Each structure stands twice: as C-alpha cells, then as structure tokens.
Amino acid sequence: MRGISLLVAMSRYEGYGMTPLEAMASGAPFVASDAGYYRAFSGEGAAGIVVPDVAGAVSEVGGLLGDPARLAVMSAAAIARAHSEYSVEQEAAGIRSVYEALWQRG
C-alpha cells in the first residue's frame, strides 16, 4: 500500500472494508462506493470520497490525480484520521470492552 497514491474501492457490498483503512494508514486517500463503513472512514471527504457509481469514481480519480496539491492534503488527512480514529490500540480497546461486557454477564 505504501507505493500507491490513491485507492479505488467500488464494492457493491462490504461488511466493514479494511482496504480503505490500510490505504489511509499508508498515506493514500480513497475513492469508494457507498458500501460498508467507507463513508465513516472518509471523514466527510477529508480522507476519502464516496461516490454513487463508476462514473463518479472516474471523475473523482481524474480530479485527484490531476491535482497533486489536493491529493497531498487528502493524503495527510488520511494518515491523521487512520491514526486518530482507527488505530490498532483503539481496535484492541474496542474488542476488550466487548469481552468485558460479556464477562460481566457471567
């Protein structure tokens, strides 16, 4: 992932979808369909763009790759968002809280 400039994820269905998060952590924003949690990952367009269809994806990909300054801003936002909102530590804490709730039920 560290060698890409932009990820395109046009899933029809996605339960969660790790590839945008992996790209974001590597400094690549994404263009994606409105599937899974892609919209939440995007940070209202700061780290990724959610599009309704392939034509929208083509337009956004062309726009981003044709505007290196905008791509750089989104790349920085993608890294920051991946680390602040979706870090390994936060994932582990979330899993731990689920187990703790189950253990308390006894």
Side-chain angles (χ1 to χ4, degrees):
M1 290 282 186
R2 292 183 189 257
I4 66 172
S5 299
L6 179 68
L7 174 80
V8 179
M10 294 302 294
S11 303
R12 290 185 179 170
Y13 170 81
E14 188 66 60
Y16 186 70
M18 292 296 295
T19 53
L21 290 178
E22 292 168 344
M24 289 166 58
S26 296
F30 64 88
V31 172
S33 59
D34 197 2
Y37 283 80
Y38 297 164
R39 188 169 297 282
F41 298 161
S42 75
E44 298 181 15
I49 300 170
V50 174
V51 295
D53 53 28
V54 173
V58 169
S59 176
E60 292 295 345
V61 167
L64 284 169
L65 294 179
D67 186 347
R70 181 175 174 219
L71 185 61
V73 167
M74 287 185 73
S75 295
I79 292 171
R81 187 158 176 76
H83 290 280
S84 69
E85 302 295 324
Y86 302 101
S87 69
V88 170
E89 293 82 10
Q90 287 173 316
E91 182 71 18
I95 292 169
R96 181 180 176 165
S97 70
V98 169
Y99 279 108
E100 286 176 353
L102 292 172
W103 288 325
Q104 289 177 1
R105 289 189 201 176

